[in-house]
Amino acid sequence: MLRGGGREKHIRTIAMASGKGGVGKTNIVANLAIAMKKQGHEVLILDADLGLSNIDVLLHLAPKYNMQNVLNGEMALADIMVEGPHGIKILPASSGVQELTVLDEFQRLRLLDEFESFNSNLDVMLIDTAAGISENVAFFCIAAQEIIILATPEPTAMTDAYALMKVLYTRYQEKEFSVLVNNVRGEDEGREVFKRLATAAEKFLSVSLDYLGYIPYDAAVPAAVRQQRAFLDVNPNGKASKKVTDLAYKLMSRTKHRVKGSLQFFIGNLLSAASDEK
């Protein structure tokens, strides 16, 4: 069981997924982690795009080891963890390793066991899933306590976001999703995207959608990507930076400890935290 500072500690696990690639998911995860860290939380990013790493490239890191070493049984999670901007922790994925794009049952159980014995003083783990609706994406979503679906106003992004929720609901009985809308012109467009997703979900699926908010288009975002830096550092007072900072406050103010079954990261710790609240 994971312990932090000599006591059991509840760790939030939040998966961010999108269905479609290229919607800015990895960039939002990286900057959200930095915003949470600046607010005093200990944050770990798990790059769950196991065959095509992105976080390390985005933040100009050069990790020597990665999740492939863990899944091969060569190292523990703590051995591959690297430090990113502002002291956020990162578990990097491998790049160009096709066999890791589909984890087998043994590899999934190994990963769950590794996290159960992972000894680190964390408050939250953000999981940056791969694009698409693969079994890997589903595994990381159902192993997290919370799922954030990232969409944009593009029709293909909305269609793929809906398709991902449909797969998670019909095959894995996931019923609660938060929706974050990226790259919009303002509040009205963000709510319109959410409304269209919520209408489809209500009509065809019995799932609950929670509107988490929106991230506006900001020229500082692509500029920061080209510099391989966080946009919170390049333009801390920019529109996107302010919204991500607000999002970090909103997420960390939630206190619900959600137990969804045995397939969950830090399940022992979570069960203990839930028991203490009774």
Side-chain angles (χ1 to χ4, degrees):
M1 180 177 294
L2 184 147
R3 294 175 186 277
R7 61 180 175 81
E8 295 169 3
K9 183 177 182 181
H10 171 61
I11 299 173
R12 301 274 301 280
T13 56
I14 304 171
M16 189 172 290
S18 60
K20 185 180 182 301
V23 298
K25 176 173 52 57
T26 298
N27 207 7
I28 297 296
V29 168
N31 284 275
L32 181 61
I34 291 172
M36 289 175 168
K37 178 66 178 179
K38 286 183 172 181
Q39 292 166 15
H41 305 291
E42 293 300 323
V43 189
L44 173 70
I45 296 176
L46 167 60
D47 189 344
D49 194 350
L50 298 178
L52 289 170
S53 63
N54 286 307
I55 286 282
D56 53 324
V57 177
L58 184 73
L59 297 177
H60 201 207
L61 303 173
K64 189 175 181 179
Y65 304 106
N66 54 56
M67 292 298 293
Q68 184 178 16
N69 299 105
V70 175
L71 292 167
N72 287 345
E74 302 162 354
M75 293 180 172
L77 289 173
D79 298 326
I80 69 163
M81 189 166 63
V82 296
E83 190 167 302
H86 302 274
I88 63 170
K89 303 294 191 300
I90 298 166
L91 293 173
S94 57
S95 184
V97 183
Q98 189 176 19
E99 58 266 30
L100 291 186
T101 59
V102 183
L103 295 180
D104 60 31
E105 186 174 352
F106 175 78
Q107 290 171 316
R108 293 175 187 176
L109 291 173
R110 179 177 185 82
L111 205 51
L112 291 169
D113 286 343
E114 282 288 335
F115 276 104
E116 196 64 19
S117 60
F118 187 40
N119 191 354
S120 184
N121 188 31
L122 296 175
D123 295 307
V124 58
M125 180 169 75
L126 299 177
I127 305 170
D128 180 29
T129 73
I133 55 174
S134 68
E135 291 186 6
N136 268 15
V137 173
F139 166 71
F140 285 108
C141 284
I142 62 178
Q145 295 156 30
E146 303 170 55
I147 304 170
I148 297 175
I149 301 295
L150 186 69
T152 74
E154 294 178 31
T156 50
M158 284 189 277
T159 300
D160 290 356
Y162 173 79
L164 176 59
M165 289 188 287
K166 181 180 178 181
V167 168
L168 292 173
Y169 169 67
T170 56
R171 295 190 60 181
Y172 304 98
Q173 291 75 55
E174 286 291 341
K175 296 180 180 179
E176 296 183 17
F177 303 94
S178 296
V179 175
L180 178 67
V181 186
N182 191 30
N183 211 21
V184 297
R185 288 170 291 188
E187 173 76 27
D188 289 347
E189 190 172 37
R191 287 200 173 275
E192 178 60 26
V193 172
F194 173 75
K195 182 181 176 182
R196 293 175 67 176
L197 283 172
T199 300
E202 183 179 354
K203 186 174 182 179
F204 300 108
L205 308 171
S206 298
V207 301
S208 171
L209 300 191
D210 172 43
Y211 181 54
L212 202 53
Y214 70 96
I215 309 296
Y217 172 79
D218 187 336
V221 174
V225 171
R226 288 191 290 272
Q227 297 176 40
Q228 292 181 279
R229 297 176 61 198
F231 60 78
L232 257 73
D233 289 334
V234 172
N235 190 9
N237 295 315
K239 294 182 293 183
S241 295
K242 289 179 179 177
K243 279 295 182 182
V244 167
T245 299
D246 291 344
L247 177 63
Y249 278 120
K250 186 173 185 177
L251 285 170
M252 295 311 293
S253 67
R254 292 178 172 179
T255 57
K256 185 178 179 182
H257 296 170
R258 188 175 176 224
V259 183
K260 300 192 298 182
S262 58
L263 181 59
Q264 200 163 326
F265 292 126
F266 306 123
I267 184 66
N269 179 266
L270 182 61
L271 289 170
S272 177
S275 176
D276 290 344
E277 291 176 348
K278 293 179 180 177

